[in-house]
Amino acid sequence: QVRLVESGGGLVQAGGSLRLSCAASGRTFGRNARGWFRQDPGKEREFVASFGWTGSTYYADSVKGRFAISGDNAKNTVYLQMHSLQPEDTAVYYCAARVHGSTYSDQSSYNYWGQGTQVTVST
């Protein structure tokens, strides 16, 4: 059974930092197959960051320069380092893994999802 488990969420003040982790089990995913999305209640789930199949990184405009995705293939884990957090970054953050999907920012490209971890940024 494939599982993606996020951790590292929590409550942080505006301007602070958090590092999310997503560990996969049941199947090995290269880091290039992984991405992060987030969803605020009442809103659509949106793309945050991902690797492309060539290893390039991609970010939503709203997080460019503040967030960084990284991965450790040996640990089957990807990370999302978040700096300069703002209240609008408050959401449940989900990691995802894709098998063949080519559109890194499209949720439909991803086959596996974690349960999510809550990030709350206070003013």
Side-chain angles (χ1 to χ4, degrees):
Q1 180 181 2
V2 176
R3 292 187 67 202
L4 301 180
V5 180
E6 302 97 335
S7 60
L11 174 64
V12 63
Q13 288 189 324
S17 299
L18 281 175
R19 187 194 194 206
L20 306 183
S21 299
C22 175
S25 62
R27 179 171 180 157
T28 298
F29 297 101
R31 68 171 196 174
N32 294 355
R34 312 287 284 277
W36 289 93
F37 291 75
R38 68 185 181 186
Q39 186 171 22
D40 207 12
K43 296 183 180 179
E44 297 284 325
R45 187 156 55 184
E46 63 178 5
F47 169 74
V48 176
S50 79
F51 286 99
W53 288 118
T54 61
S56 298
T57 54
Y58 300 92
Y59 298 94
D61 287 343
S62 58
V63 307
K64 278 181 184 175
R66 300 188 299 122
F67 291 13
I69 188 172
S70 62
D72 185 336
N73 285 342
K75 295 182 178 180
N76 212 8
T77 298
V78 290
Y79 307 95
L80 186 68
Q81 179 68 56
M82 307 185 291
H83 295 296
S84 302
L85 284 161
Q86 300 301 317
E88 52 266 34
D89 295 315
T90 295
V92 176
Y93 284 71
Y94 298 90
C95 72
R98 62 189 189 276
V99 177
H100 299 297
S102 60
T103 308
Y104 57 84
S105 61
D106 188 342
Q107 297 179 57
S108 65
S109 291
Y110 293 83
N111 307 92
Y112 302 98
W113 292 84
Q115 82 289 348
T117 185
Q118 176 71 47
V119 171
T120 303
V121 185
S122 64
T123 56

